[in-house]
Amino acid sequence: MSISTNFSEGRVERKSEDIDWLRKILAVDYPGYFLPYLEEDRELNSDDTKGITTRIAEIEGFLNKIMRCTPFQFSRHVQVFFEEHNTKKFT
């Protein structure tokens, strides 16, 4: 899926698993920091444009919220998440 935030230039292509990776790694690297809720990934049919649009909005909202926290802005994992083209790094 293609996502963007208020803190990145352009859009990036990421899978739902990549978002899960970022959330998990931030929870480990920043214990005690609040990570916004992100609803569990759900199976979506490629014809379900409304569901896909809703999921993208949820993910973009999640990313915008974490980027309001200064330590997350400088996290090397967040920077890699937005800059890396090889998504195998998110495993």
Side-chain angles (χ1 to χ4, degrees):
M1 76 184 72
S2 178
I3 58 173
S4 66
T5 70
N6 298 332
F7 299 91
S8 65
E9 295 179 23
R11 300 184 77 77
V12 293
E13 293 290 325
R14 296 291 177 260
K15 297 180 221 157
S16 290
E17 299 87 36
D18 302 338
I19 312 301
D20 295 338
W21 170 86
L22 180 63
R23 192 171 198 294
K24 288 175 188 171
I25 203 108
L26 289 176
V28 169
D29 285 357
Y30 297 92
Y33 278 82
F34 172 75
L35 284 170
Y37 176 75
L38 181 61
E39 198 169 308
E40 289 285 322
D41 194 20
R42 55 197 172 276
E43 191 88 19
L44 293 171
N45 184 326
S46 61
D47 296 337
D48 184 5
T49 54
K50 184 178 178 183
I52 293 169
T53 301
T54 299
R55 183 63 179 161
I56 290 171
E58 291 170 355
I59 291 169
E60 289 175 346
F62 166 77
L63 293 171
N64 283 323
K65 287 175 187 170
I66 65 168
M67 292 304 294
R68 289 188 196 117
C69 180
T70 304
F72 294 153
Q73 292 174 13
F74 296 103
S75 162
R76 67 182 173 88
H77 298 297
V78 171
Q79 291 171 4
V80 165
F81 180 83
F82 284 109
E83 295 170 2
E84 183 61 48
H85 296 288
N86 179 5
T87 58
K88 290 184 183 191
K89 291 196 177 235
F90 307 135
T91 56

